[in-house]
Amino acid sequence: MTTPSEPATDLGLFDAVVNLCKRRGFVFPSAEIYGGIRSTYDYGPLGALMLRNIREAWWRAMIQERDDVVPLDAAILTNPKVWEASGHLATFTDPLVDCRKCKERWRADQIENTCPNCGSSDLTEARPFNLMFKTFVGPVEEESSVAYLRPETAQGMFVNYLNIETTMRRKPPFGIAQIGRAFRNEITPGNFVFRTREFEMMELEFFVPPTDSGRWQQYWCEERLSWYKRYGIAPEKLRLRPHEAEELSHYSSGTTDVEFLFPWGWGELEGIANRTDFDLRAHQEHSGTSLEHFDQASGERYLPHVVEPAAGATRAMMAFLLAAYDEDEIGGERRAVLRLHPRIAPYQVAVLPLSKKDTLSPLAREVLHRLQRHLMCEYDETQSIGRRYRRQDEIGTPFCVTVDFDSLEDQQVTVRERDSTNQTRMAIDDLVSHLLGRLDI
Ligand code: GAP
């Protein structure tokens, strides 16, 4: 596995994970039977399960385990006035250049004055290209019916700030958290699901008194870094990197990224930005609605400042898969194994009757039904038990429960662990509590 001291180009790992994703039903090219649509992906059964687990792990840490954050689920289609106020219509752009020779288009800041496709240096001047997807609401395609697909979920939280402060009886410091799809017309999507035009975000807007924003930004950097470690990424593959001044988004006075060591080098997983009062001030001015908070204790009115940890769920999935992929040898046989955290793995348990004989199926199915009430399970009775273990290892299932002929007599089953391959015999009655106890490693 790659470590920071090794050259950061483990493209064999990248290919192995991309290949596994397709072969085992994690990620498919979208509409593949029609030739796909560039850099757009569908999440197959295992990908859908894993993405859901990532969302839940984030939700647990950011909402469920706290008392100062509330959730929101805002619309994707947004009134253009929101993007005018937020500055996205004017400044959410990338510099675009065209190669005059091969007609490819590139982000000017990602190339060195020559076209990566044909090597020509006959490039156009860079011009700003807005990344927002535009559409029309209603039957008439005219300027007054323009709407945008959100390029970030954040604005939904700013424009609902007042609704939430009032209905939930909150005062700063408190946060609004949201998970959902976002859309950006990226010029150069790529590296599998690392950069796509449709992706999923997990964002928190944390509203604080203006003088407290530095302290809270530090706090959220540490919290977010430890979340990735909690769910299984090794500390040496993670780092915090403060942005240089010229990298900052138009709304940020300071941003620190959580970065992961991808096979091609360090890359952003999440940005923790100090958005100051930029957004609330802009929406206050454009809407004419006061968004100030009145602090009863001090008698002061102020616009809260915002610290924003903004993560990509689909990008996090890729990092979790890359960090978990391993190959080892069991009994002289090579195996590929995803050492995923049990809460992130698509299935937590596989129930495997030792043989397909009718005598074992009723008990195996009874065990399955007991476990299914608590855990995501797979049932598999085809092929040899060794091949079935290998298959579960490769998709990251942390526990296999094997029902054998002795189980019919003693009401016990064998629990096999993915990482160590150790096997333990235990009573069926103890299975649920044992496995639930093993989820948080
Ligand atoms: N509201 C702040 C914001 O949107 P961002 O850094 O542009 O910040 C946050 O995006 C996160 O969303 C990134 O750290 C990354 O994980 C993910 N992300 C951004 N653009 C993406 C893309 N085109 N494809 C996949 N994930 C993306």
Side-chain angles (χ1 to χ4, degrees):
M1 303 283 277
T2 318
T3 66
S5 54
E6 291 169 354
T9 47
D10 190 353
L11 296 176
L13 169 67
F14 180 72
D15 288 346
V17 168
V18 172
N19 183 294
L20 188 150
C21 280
K22 172 80 201 296
R23 204 162 26 88
R24 293 299 194 199
F26 283 82
V27 181
F28 305 125
S30 188
E32 198 179 10
I33 57 169
Y34 290 103
I37 164 168
R38 198 176 152 209
S39 289
T40 304
Y41 294 94
D42 296 337
Y43 291 82
L46 299 198
L49 286 168
M50 188 170 168
L51 257 186
R52 176 171 172 266
N53 291 342
I54 292 171
R55 280 184 214 117
E56 278 188 2
W58 189 88
W59 187 283
R60 196 175 306 118
M62 305 300 271
I63 300 170
Q64 185 180 321
E65 292 175 356
R66 308 183 62 93
D67 60 6
D68 55 1
V69 176
V70 292
L72 178 72
D73 196 344
I76 289 173
L77 281 175
T78 326
N79 186 327
K81 288 180 182 163
V82 170
W83 306 111
E84 196 184 317
S86 70
H88 282 75
L89 269 177
T91 54
F92 195 59
T93 57
D94 277 338
L96 172 74
V97 291
D98 290 291
C99 171
R100 290 197 180 90
K101 191 168 169 219
C102 73
K103 311 293 180 218
E104 277 290 323
R105 295 187 145 175
W106 304 102
R107 256 175 72 174
D109 57 336
Q110 288 182 343
I111 61 170
E112 301 273 352
N113 300 324
T114 48
C115 171
N117 186 41
C118 70
S120 164
S121 49
D122 189 8
L123 305 176
T124 60
E125 284 295 304
R127 59 194 186 283
F129 172 76
N130 197 295
L131 300 182
M132 285 198 293
F133 278 101
K134 197 176 185 178
T135 187
F136 297 93
V137 172
V140 188
E141 295 195 4
E142 60 188 12
E143 208 44 39
S144 63
S145 57
V146 164
Y148 291 92
L149 303 189
R150 62 183 179 196
E152 60 170 10
T153 67
Q155 296 303 322
M157 302 189 258
F158 298 129
V159 297
N160 278 293
Y161 173 76
L162 205 56
N163 283 338
I164 290 173
E165 196 198 34
T166 317
T167 56
M168 303 307 290
R169 295 175 296 117
R170 297 287 167 154
K171 59 178 188 185
F174 82 97
I176 308 175
Q178 179 168 204
I179 301 175
R181 293 271 162 158
F183 303 83
R184 295 183 189 177
N185 201 359
E186 299 280 1
I187 299 169
T188 46
N191 279 340
F192 195 42
V193 297
F194 178 83
R195 190 178 307 285
T196 48
R197 296 196 170 104
E198 175 178 351
F199 57 98
E200 190 154 310
M201 304 185 83
M202 309 186 288
E203 295 196 289
L204 167 70
E205 308 304 319
F206 200 74
F207 300 88
V208 301
T211 49
D212 291 352
S213 60
R215 187 167 62 84
W216 278 108
Q217 190 178 14
Q218 190 57 39
Y219 167 85
W220 280 112
C221 284
E222 297 306 327
E223 280 292 299
R224 296 305 305 146
L225 184 67
S226 65
W227 183 81
Y228 291 98
K229 293 181 196 163
R230 172 175 168 185
Y231 288 103
I233 302 187
E236 64 272 18
K237 291 202 161 196
L238 292 165
R239 71 175 187 188
L240 289 172
R241 187 186 67 82
H243 279 206
E244 303 292 339
E246 62 273 13
E247 287 178 83
L248 291 174
S249 308
H250 63 275
Y251 50 72
S252 170
S253 71
T255 298
T256 295
D257 283 347
V258 179
E259 292 191 334
F260 173 70
L261 190 62
F262 285 94
W264 58 86
W266 290 100
E268 173 186 344
L269 278 181
E270 161 158 6
I272 296 121
N274 183 345
R275 288 183 86 128
T276 67
D277 60 1
F278 179 91
D279 301 272
L280 289 186
R281 186 170 297 284
H283 289 304
Q284 176 169 274
E285 277 165 16
H286 280 73
S287 68
T289 306
S290 170
L291 299 178
E292 283 184 336
H293 171 74
F294 176 64
D295 186 50
Q296 289 192 323
S298 67
E300 273 180 78
R301 278 183 192 284
Y302 64 84
L303 271 176
H305 281 215
V306 172
V307 174
E308 176 199 63
T314 37
R315 195 177 284 186
M317 173 168 154
M318 186 168 167
F320 283 123
L321 285 168
L322 287 164
Y325 186 85
D326 198 7
E327 290 176 7
D328 62 5
E329 225 179 78
I330 300 293
E333 197 190 321
R334 185 195 145 274
R335 74 164 177 168
V337 52
L338 281 181
R339 301 189 191 280
L340 291 169
H341 186 286
R343 285 203 185 267
I344 297 282
Y347 296 110
Q348 281 76 55
V349 192
V351 177
L352 313 174
L354 189 63
S355 104
K356 214 179 159 187
K357 290 216 168 71
D358 285 348
T359 35
L360 286 185
S361 290
L363 182 61
R365 290 213 167 264
E366 189 195 318
V367 170
L368 173 73
H369 293 146
R370 280 202 201 190
L371 293 174
Q372 276 176 326
R373 298 178 64 192
H374 308 272
L375 298 160
M376 196 69 213
C377 305
E378 193 176 45
Y379 185 81
D380 186 2
E381 56 184 12
T382 55
Q383 299 186 320
S384 75
I385 191 72
R387 290 188 73 159
R388 281 182 278 161
Y389 283 152
R390 287 300 101 79
R391 184 175 179 279
Q392 295 303 326
D393 292 340
E394 201 182 18
I395 63 172
T397 310
F399 305 105
C400 291
V401 170
T402 311
V403 178
D404 57 26
F405 292 98
D406 288 342
S407 306
L408 300 172
E409 306 300 321
D410 62 8
Q411 293 294 302
Q412 294 200 354
V413 287
T414 302
V415 177
R416 177 212 185 245
E417 298 185 15
R418 172 196 69 201
D419 293 342
S420 62
T421 71
N422 285 345
Q423 302 197 4
T424 316
R425 193 93 184 143
M426 76 174 58
I428 292 171
D429 283 345
D430 295 336
L431 254 186
V432 168
S433 62
H434 173 80
L435 292 173
L436 287 178
R438 299 290 307 277
L439 284 188
D440 286 298
I441 47 170

